[in-house]
Structures are given as C-alpha cells and as structure tokens.
C-alpha cells in the first residue's frame, strides 16, 4: 500500500456506532492519520481513489464516513478534494447533509476562495436542495475581498438560465450579499439579471433592491427601480410601498411620502404598523402635528395596535408645539395600555416578508 506510516489512532476515537468493512477501516485511519509523510498531492489522489472504492462497495447508510472525509480535508485546507468528494457523492446519488456543504463554504469563505464557493453551491443546487439563507451568506462572504466580478456574474448567469425555479435562490443571493455588507455587488447582480434574464426576477427581488437603496440613501435610484418594477408588470405590494415611504422619510421627502401613501391606498394595498410609523414620523418632523394625529386615529380605527415608539414620537412633537394637554393625555393612554402595545419585532418584519417567496431554509 502507498501509506506506510505507523498508525497511532484507534477506531474508538471516531465514535461511530456501526462496523465498517476492512477497507473502510483502513481508509478512515489513513485519512485521519497525522503521521503520513507522503507528498500531499499524492496522498490526496490515493485517498480519493480509495474513497471512490468505498462508495462503490459500501451502502449509502454510512453518511458519517463521508462527512469525516470532508471534515478532514477542510481542516487541512484541501478544499478542492473536499469538493471532489461532494461530486463523487452526487454522481452516485448519495444524499449529503447540508452541513457538509456548509462546512466547505465556511472554509472557502475564510480563505476568500470564490472558485470553490461557486463549485460547492452549484453542486448543492444540482442535488435538488434549496440552499438556506445561512449558506448563501457564507457564499457571499467569500467575495468580500474580491473586486473582479467576472466569476460571480458567470455563476449567477449560469444559475439564472437553468429554470424559473432559480428565482428564490437568486433572491437569497442578492439578500445575502447585502446582508454581508456588499450592497454594491447585490445591486450589480440585480442590474445584470435585468439585462440577461429578467424572468428570474419577481416582486420579492424588487422589494429587496428597494430596501438596499433606501437604506443607503440612494433615493433617486430607488424611485427609478420602483417605476421600473411597475413598467415590468409587477404590482407593488404593501412591502414595496412601506420600503419606498421609509426610504423617502429618511431623507425628509415628506411630500412624496404622502403621495405614495395615497397611491398605496388607491391601489388596494392595506397599510400596516410600519406604514403608519413612517408617516407619523414624517409629519412629526415636518411640524405637521395635525396630520400625525390623523394617521394615529386612522390606524387605531383599523385595529392596528400603536407601538411605544409611535406614542413617544407623538408626545415629543406635541410638547414641541406646546400642546401640553394633549401630550399628557397621550402619555396617560400609553402608560395604561403599555402591556398591549405593538413591540419592536412588529416593526422589523422586512426580512421575513422579503424572503417569504423563498423555499424553506430561510
């Protein structure tokens, strides 16, 4: 045999609860031995060769063995071989736990290895699995120090041309790049998909992009994307309008906030706590306390529970306008109903709504 170093490890170290064939036992020991003195490439070649023999002769009911190989190869920095193990398993229709893909993507992310990241995520997609949001974020993190977008765009284009079922995945990827602090790359993916294959975009894609632009204060671009969405044939939903109004509020465009609120109502979209919170803040900052109170009454009539944030904003603005009596009334109302007010979680449903069109795993 090609491995001749002494073996100092015992099978008990692996804590596997089933018996392996003689060949499997031998290879497990060799794959994990730190005393091997052979050249790394030669050793990898032999391990992969014998691993293939294991796959051919061992039932697929021993997934821990396969994960053990992947785990060891990742820990020794041999990500290419780990990816090859995945390919062998996929070719043999052996189901691999998403944990194995995640393990390689974590290592590839830390090494900024975009080639391996693309290979592994592609293998996961071809296996029929839906990558989780966490896996997509690990994929995106591998590109943090990469300024060459060619490989990323090639990967996205290839995936987008497979089928319309790639839409949830595309949404996760765009969201993942934004979530990992790479908003420009997220927007670039969106922009190129509009040119290449806009059938891979849906209302959720546009809502994610609107949020990215709104958070970065790129209001003019946000308005362009909103107009483009309608021109493409997508009807804005409540999330679309909330994102637009919130983005406009941040830059003080109160006139446009109210205009889009009216459009939202006319188009049959139902305003919620996020809508009214944005509007009350807009009118309050503009000194228009009357409109703020009108929105406040309107939301209560519709059965929407106010939040502590809304009460505090109204009280603050009323005091600034020297409407002390009304501010005191609201303060007492807030204190008496504090146990049944909307909480912070009700003001942060965006990620859940944005990703609601994705498959399980978000």
């Amino acid at each position: 045999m090609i491995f001749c170093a002494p073996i100092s490890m015992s099978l008990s170290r692996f804590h596997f609860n089933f018996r392996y064939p003689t060949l499997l036992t031998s290879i497990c020991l060799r794959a994990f031995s730190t005393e091997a003195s052979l050249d790394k490439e030669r050793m990898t070649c032999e391990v992969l060769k014998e691993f293939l023999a294991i796959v051919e002769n061992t039932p697929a009911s021993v997934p821990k063995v396969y994960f053990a190989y992947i785990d060891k190869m990742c820990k020794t920095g041999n990500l290419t071989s780990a990816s090859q193990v995945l390919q062998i398993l996929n070719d043999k229709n052996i189901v691999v736990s998403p944990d194995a893909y995640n393990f390689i993507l974590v290592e590839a992310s830390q090494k900024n290895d975009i080639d391996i990241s693309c290979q592994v995520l592609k293998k996961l997609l071809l296996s029929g699995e839906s990558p989780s949001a966490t896996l997509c974020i690990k994929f995106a993190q591998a590109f943090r120090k990469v300024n060459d977008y060619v490989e990323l765009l090639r990967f996205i284009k290839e995936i987008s041309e497979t089928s319309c079922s790639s839409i949830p995945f595309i949404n996760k990827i765009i969201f993942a790049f934004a979530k990992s602090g790479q908003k420009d790359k997220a927007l670039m993916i969106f922009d190129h998909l509009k040119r290449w294959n806009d059938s891979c975009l849906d209302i959720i894609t546009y809502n994610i992009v609107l949020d990215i632009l709104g958070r970065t204060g790129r209001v003019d671009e946000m308005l362009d994307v909103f107009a483009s969405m309608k021109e493409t044939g997508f009807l804005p939903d409540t999330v679309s309008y909330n994102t637009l109004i919130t983005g406009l509020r941040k830059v003080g465009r109160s006139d446009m906030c109210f205009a889009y609120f009216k459009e939202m109502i006319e188009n049959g979209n139902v305003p919620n706590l996020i809508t009214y919170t944005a509007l009350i803040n807009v009118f309050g900052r503009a000194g228009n306390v009357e409109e703020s109170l009108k929105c406040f009454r309107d939301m209560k009539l519709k059965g929407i529970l106010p939040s502590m944030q809304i009460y505090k904003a109204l009280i603050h603005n009323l005091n600034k306008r020297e409407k002390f009596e009304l501010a005191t009334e609201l303060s007492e109302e807030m204190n008496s109903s504090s146990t049944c007010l909307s909480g912070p979680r009700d003001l942060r449903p965006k990620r859940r709504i944005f990703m609601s069109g994705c498959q399980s795993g978000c």
Side-chain angles (χ1 to χ4, degrees), residues 183-184 187 210-219 221 250:
K183 294 181 175 61
D184 286 340
L187 294 173
L210 288 173
D211 185 63
I212 294 171
L213 294 170
R215 288 177 182 272
T216 53
R218 297 158 72 168
V219 175
E221 292 176 66
K250 289 180 179 179

Side-chain angles (χ1 to χ4, degrees), residues 3-9 29-30 32-38 43:
F3 291 94
C4 56
I7 296 172
S8 60
M9 302 172 69
L29 289 170
R30 289 170 184 168
F32 283 84
S33 176
T34 58
E35 298 176 21
S37 59
L38 297 175
M43 185 176 77

Side-chain angles (χ1 to χ4, degrees), residues 159-200:
I159 296 302
S160 69
E161 290 175 343
T162 55
S163 68
C164 289
S165 62
S166 64
I167 295 177
F169 171 69
I170 293 297
N171 289 339
K172 289 179 183 178
I173 286 295
I174 294 175
F175 184 86
F177 272 92
K179 186 73 174 177
S180 62
Q182 302 176 83
K183 294 181 175 61
D184 286 340
K185 289 189 179 78
L187 294 173
M188 178 198 62
I189 292 170
F190 170 74
D191 185 57
H192 280 265
L193 280 174
K194 283 184 67 178
R195 298 189 185 125
W196 283 336
N197 187 8
D198 63 2
S199 65
C200 282

Side-chain angles (χ1 to χ4, degrees), residues 231-295:
E231 290 170 3
T232 307
F234 292 112
L235 295 176
D237 58 12
T238 299
V239 176
S240 310
Y241 281 107
N242 282 348
T243 306
L244 190 67
I245 291 169
T246 300
L248 291 167
R249 173 187 66 79
K250 289 180 179 179
V251 295
R253 304 289 290 272
S254 56
D255 54 335
M256 296 190 73
C257 287
F258 191 65
Y260 280 110
F261 175 67
K262 287 178 62 178
E263 180 181 303
M264 176 183 183
I265 300 298
E266 291 168 358
N267 289 341
N269 291 285
V270 180
N272 55 23
L273 178 63
I274 294 174
T275 318
Y276 284 110
T277 299
L279 290 172
I280 289 171
N281 281 326
V282 165
F283 292 126
R285 290 181 181 180
N288 195 337
V289 178
E290 290 73 20
E291 285 295 335
S292 292
L293 290 171
K294 183 179 177 182
C295 286

Side-chain angles (χ1 to χ4, degrees), residues 24-126:
L24 181 56
T25 301
S26 173
I27 301 308
C28 279
L29 289 170
R30 289 170 184 168
F32 283 84
S33 176
T34 58
E35 298 176 21
S37 59
L38 297 175
D39 174 78
K40 181 179 178 181
E41 292 184 5
R42 187 182 177 193
M43 185 176 77
T44 297
C45 180
E46 284 298 315
V47 170
L48 286 173
K49 186 186 300 182
E50 295 191 3
F51 175 76
L52 182 58
I54 291 173
V55 174
E56 293 288 349
N57 297 290
T58 303
S61 58
V62 287
K64 288 185 179 180
V65 180
Y66 309 136
F67 187 80
Y69 274 91
I70 293 171
D71 178 68
K72 177 60 178 179
M73 289 174 177
C74 286
K75 286 180 178 177
T76 57
N78 200 338
L79 300 181
T80 299
S81 295
S83 178
Q84 289 173 325
V85 168
L86 287 180
Q87 188 61 56
I88 293 171
L89 296 173
N90 288 336
D91 290 344
K92 300 297 180 181
N93 295 317
I94 297 173
V95 178
V96 183
S97 166
D99 290 340
Y101 293 94
N102 183 63
F103 201 93
I104 301 176
L105 284 171
V106 169
E107 295 296 319
S109 171
Q110 292 175 350
K111 298 178 185 304
N112 301 308
D113 192 328
I114 61 174
D115 290 333
I116 292 297
S117 294
C118 289
Q119 288 177 29
V120 171
L121 199 54
K122 192 183 301 181
K123 287 180 175 66
L124 180 59
L125 288 166
L126 291 174

Side-chain angles (χ1 to χ4, degrees), residues 310-326:
I310 285 179
Y311 272 107
K312 288 182 177 180
L314 285 170
I315 293 168
H316 174 75
N317 291 323
L318 286 169
N319 282 325
K320 281 180 64 176
R321 304 288 292 180
E322 298 184 354
K323 295 182 180 292
F324 303 118
E325 185 176 344
L326 188 52

